[in-house]
Amino acid sequence: MAIGEFSVRSGLSAKRLRTYATEGLLAPAAVDPGSGYRYYSPDQLAEALVIDALRHASVPLADIRAFLRQPSREQISIWARQLATDANHRQQALVLAGQLLAAEEDRSFPMAHPRSEEGLMTRLRTAGRSDTGPLRENNEDVVVSSDRLALVADGMGGHPGGEIAANVAAGLVPASFTGQSVDELCAVGLLTNGQLALVNVGDSRAYLWRGGALNQLTQDHSVTAELIERGELREEEAGKHPYYGVLTRALGVGPDVEIDHSTLAVGPEDRIIVCSDGLFNELSSVEIASALAEGRDLASVVDKLIDGAIAHGGRDNVSVVVAEVAA
Ligand SMILES: [Mn+2]
């Protein structure tokens, strides 16, 4: 049939049919060499409609060409799943943007700049670093170490939205200093009264190292941590649990998230460690404590901890910030 009739029967304009021919998607069954008129066969109708549907689904031309060589419903399901995942990531990023804006407006959380009216009272001494590790391709963790703040944001490996969340939060938390923000965030900030303020969401952790002993300051917001807390799972069995690594709280997932916060009085001998799960999943508390005991300066403690985690497998990005209050 001529292009006009094919156009009427397929509901696709002649212009669109010519475009599909140019793009190599749907060649006319025959072209009159004299007049250049294009002719289509009736069994091309179904193919034309499939092509048109895929174009409306924003499937790239090259992918449609490959698909037409080997059409399958399985491929369409794969595209549908990808689309759902992409939409989900964009949705999460938007939710996070909303949370960050809300945090910016709500400065009720009592964190303040240490430069009080009496001038600079105290500051934090910090050292921090994040390492991709030998097995991951990207580093989705972010660290901030300054004289007011120690922060680790774990972008949740494999979630593109998580990487955005970690970076956005690492940028906005220090700027707004409300402490309300990220995917898996753990931050310690210095208050005007010399105390430390601690905020935590997810399964990054803060520890206090005091008198040679290491104490975990934060609770992990994960399924297994909550089961252990309730006495329903033994700590050494957590790694084998089917929901190991699944978080119960994280930023950027739902419209609201409960953020743990607390304050802590610290002395000049104390050290605070803020780290991602890439550290404590590789090193035991005893190993972390001994790195703290051995390290003369904070930077060498950070190096010892990261080197240790990598030596034990380094299966995840590993991030550490070590802080102490400077007189
Ligand atoms: Mn991690």
Side-chain angles (χ1 to χ4, degrees):
M1 66 188 94
I3 191 167
E5 189 189 347
F6 192 76
S7 167
V8 170
R9 289 182 55 180
S10 65
L12 305 178
S13 69
K15 185 177 169 218
R16 178 161 294 209
L17 289 170
R18 276 192 287 270
T19 306
Y20 289 164
T22 314
E23 287 167 351
L25 294 175
L26 186 71
V31 180
D32 186 300
S35 63
Y37 287 165
R38 297 146 188 263
Y39 296 94
Y40 292 84
S41 72
D43 54 8
Q44 285 185 297
L45 271 173
E47 195 174 345
L49 294 174
V50 168
I51 292 167
D52 202 53
L54 293 175
R55 288 302 287 147
H56 276 111
S58 301
V59 175
L61 292 178
D63 291 357
I64 298 180
R65 268 184 230 114
F67 174 83
L68 293 173
R69 285 194 290 274
Q70 215 170 4
S72 78
R73 301 216 332 231
E74 171 59 19
Q75 181 57 53
I76 290 173
S77 307
I78 291 169
W79 281 327
R81 285 196 296 273
Q82 278 170 356
L83 183 62
T85 306
D86 288 353
N88 192 26
H89 288 146
R90 295 178 65 182
Q91 189 79 37
Q92 283 181 19
L94 287 173
V95 166
L96 176 72
Q99 286 170 348
L100 291 165
L101 270 185
E104 188 86 344
E105 288 157 10
D106 171 18
R107 294 176 176 257
S108 57
F109 188 71
M111 291 179 83
H113 197 286
R115 279 166 218 276
S116 66
E117 55 280 0
E118 294 137 65
L120 188 65
M121 302 290 292
T122 46
R123 61 181 191 87
L124 287 178
R125 230 192 323 258
T126 57
R129 189 157 67 80
S130 181
D131 198 290
T132 308
L135 298 181
R136 290 286 176 94
E137 284 197 356
N138 303 314
N139 192 347
E140 296 179 340
D141 285 2
V142 182
V143 301
V144 175
S145 60
S146 74
D147 63 356
R148 296 189 293 148
L149 193 74
L151 175 149
V152 168
D154 182 327
M156 286 168 91
H159 294 250
E163 192 173 355
I164 298 167
N167 278 294
V168 169
L172 283 184
V173 173
S176 62
F177 215 72
T178 62
Q180 310 223 1
S181 257
V182 200
D183 214 342
E184 298 179 53
L185 163 75
C186 196
V188 170
L190 188 63
L191 302 178
T192 44
N193 61 9
Q195 294 210 329
L196 289 181
L198 198 71
V199 293
N200 175 47
V201 184
D203 69 352
S204 294
R205 288 181 183 172
Y207 294 91
L208 170 66
W209 185 70
R210 174 177 283 172
L214 193 72
N215 275 299
Q216 190 179 331
L217 296 170
T218 51
Q219 262 191 327
D220 297 346
H221 301 138
S222 67
V223 173
T224 51
E226 289 177 7
L227 288 172
I228 291 166
E229 177 75 17
R230 292 206 300 267
E232 293 169 22
L233 182 72
R234 293 204 326 216
E235 205 166 342
E236 53 274 23
E237 285 165 355
K240 284 180 241 143
H241 194 277
Y243 289 158
Y244 180 67
V246 175
L247 297 183
T248 51
R249 286 193 232 165
L251 280 191
V253 176
D256 259 315
V257 65
E258 190 190 342
I259 296 172
D260 287 352
H261 54 86
S262 57
T263 56
L264 178 75
V266 288
E269 305 294 313
D270 296 334
R271 281 175 174 175
I272 303 289
I273 303 91
V274 183
C275 60
S276 64
D277 61 341
L279 182 80
F280 59 78
N281 283 337
E282 304 292 359
L283 296 183
S284 68
S285 328
V286 173
E287 289 164 327
I288 296 173
S290 83
L292 280 151
E294 286 165 25
R296 285 185 307 280
D297 59 293
L298 298 182
S300 73
V301 172
V302 169
D303 289 342
K304 273 178 197 298
L305 289 169
I306 290 178
D307 291 350
I310 289 171
H312 281 63
R315 289 163 289 181
D316 190 4
N317 304 143
V318 49
S319 304
V320 182
V321 182
V322 181
E324 59 189 20
V325 177

